[in-house]
Amino acid sequence: TWRATPHSCGAAAQARQREARQRERRFTRTRSKKMGNGASRSPGGGGEMTSVEETALAANLEKCFADCEELVREKHCAPLLLRFAWHAAGTFDASDGTGGATGSIRFDKELAHVSNGGLDSARALLEPLKKKYPTISYADLYQMAGAAAVEQSGGPRIPMKYGRVDAPTDESVPPPHRLPDGDAPFHQSDGKCPFDWSQNASPEAHLRRVFYRMGLSDQEIVALSGGHTLGRAFKHRSGIPKLPQTSYTEKGPGETKGGMSWTREWLKFDNSYFRELKDAKEGRADPELLRMPTDLVLFTDKKFKKFAKKYAKSQAAFFEDYAVAHAKLSELGATFEPPQGIEIKW
């Protein structure tokens, strides 16, 4: 368990973290060479993935994507699956290669992080698909579910590739608080001690610490923020929403009702997130919609707002940039087998 204590970042702790990372990398490289898609490869396959195995996996990926779309339609779970995919990939640290889309979020150790509250239900929803398609890695399944959630909700097709190798053990779980906070006080979220509190209370600085750590740009920060067009936040989880429910969320749909959404139609993927923020900036705020400091700053920060205004004006521009940014996020930290990845043929 990670704890934000004064000695958490001492030399001994850092040495243990480095040793664990090195052990994980050695294990993953060996496993990738021997088994291709990690634990998801059929026992006894041996060697690198053959063309026959690759073709079979591609066929299963197509079928699994269709099943993910059906799951979204049946359970109204697009926001949950998108959040799950993002939280799985958004822990990447480009400085040391740890975190990212490795499937490590399937472990209880990572799901126990405060920022992952409620995501155990996403894992449970996807587990039957993992059993149905055992050759598909957890890392691929989780990122696929996020892409299917966007497309099934009316958003763009994500140019995603597959073949991610699963992290074999929970030693690969990154430290907590690498993901964005919605409101101050903000965590450091980068460096050796992401769980420490930052001395900089500005939301724009926090967003840049989080996303620059992953190697993403200001434009990608704004585009990915547009994913908040889907979903809700709950007062009992984050403490941020002022209302336990609104006229937009009180009836669901789905098993979980209530919460505050960023948009009126929170199961529809469009550019309304930016349009609502623009309206709020111009004095036409809807009091029933959620606006966190990390949302509002998109229309006040000089570098952010040019992209936010662009996306509020043009849904096509938003979709184009979002699809590319989402695909990039989904590959962070991942090892692919085959190295070039596998694309679904539509």
Side-chain angles (χ1 to χ4, degrees), residues 265-300:
E265 296 182 84
W266 50 271
L267 288 176
K268 180 181 180 182
F269 196 100
D270 57 17
N271 71 332
S272 59
Y273 169 78
F274 296 105
R275 289 188 279 109
E276 293 292 353
L277 287 176
K278 181 175 180 291
D279 285 348
K281 181 71 167 56
E282 296 172 353
R284 300 186 301 276
D286 185 331
E288 289 196 281
L289 294 180
L290 180 62
R291 290 174 295 275
M292 300 186 296
T294 46
D295 299 313
L296 295 170
V297 74
L298 301 182
F299 274 89
T300 57

Side-chain angles (χ1 to χ4, degrees), residues 87-101 174 178-179 189 210-211 213-215 329 331-334:
H87 282 220
T91 59
F92 181 65
D93 189 330
S95 69
D96 59 13
T98 59
R178 283 186 176 181
L179 296 165
S189 300
V210 171
F211 287 88
R213 187 203 69 229
M214 292 187 274
L329 175 67
E331 297 177 15
L332 296 180

Side-chain angles (χ1 to χ4, degrees), residues 18 46 88 120 136 178 197 280 299 306 332 338:
R18 286 195 298 270
D120 53 335
I136 296 177
R178 283 186 176 181
W197 295 111
F299 274 89
K306 64 180 180 180
L332 296 180

